[in-house]
Amino acid sequence: MSTTTEDVAAADSETLSCSLCGTTVPKPPPVQWSPLWEEGWRWIGSQNLYSCPACPPVIVVDEGRHLRGPGIELALRVAEE
């Protein structure tokens, strides 16, 4: 049995992958993302960039503001490859 483009797209839509190391987790239902945040996952959804708890975050929170984190430059380089 071969894997089709549709199979890959369906699998991608069901999981989130760390942009830095490739670790994956099941994608949560809509508006139920807080458990992933509490575990240490960070993301910039508009750029499809995600960081797992073990990697440098792509975004940090400083006094309620979301700022680019230390992992953003590496994630952007990986995304370009």
Side-chain angles (χ1 to χ4, degrees), residues 8-18 22-28 33 36 41 48 50:
V8 172
D12 283 347
S13 68
E14 297 169 4
T15 61
L16 297 177
S17 296
C18 177
T23 296
T24 61
V25 293
K27 188 178 281 187
W33 290 67
L36 284 179
W41 280 83
N48 202 28
Y50 302 90

Side-chain angles (χ1 to χ4, degrees), residues 23-81:
T23 296
T24 61
V25 293
K27 188 178 281 187
V31 302
Q32 295 182 18
W33 290 67
S34 61
L36 284 179
W37 188 269
E38 291 166 5
E39 290 176 17
W41 280 83
R42 300 293 182 260
W43 54 86
I44 304 174
S46 62
Q47 295 181 11
N48 202 28
L49 296 173
Y50 302 90
S51 57
C52 71
C55 290
V58 294
I59 194 166
V60 294
V61 179
D62 181 29
E63 296 182 13
R65 295 181 12 225
H66 292 119
L67 305 171
R68 294 167 64 107
I72 189 73
E73 296 303 324
L74 179 58
L76 289 170
R77 276 185 275 159
V78 169
E80 290 175 355
E81 293 176 355

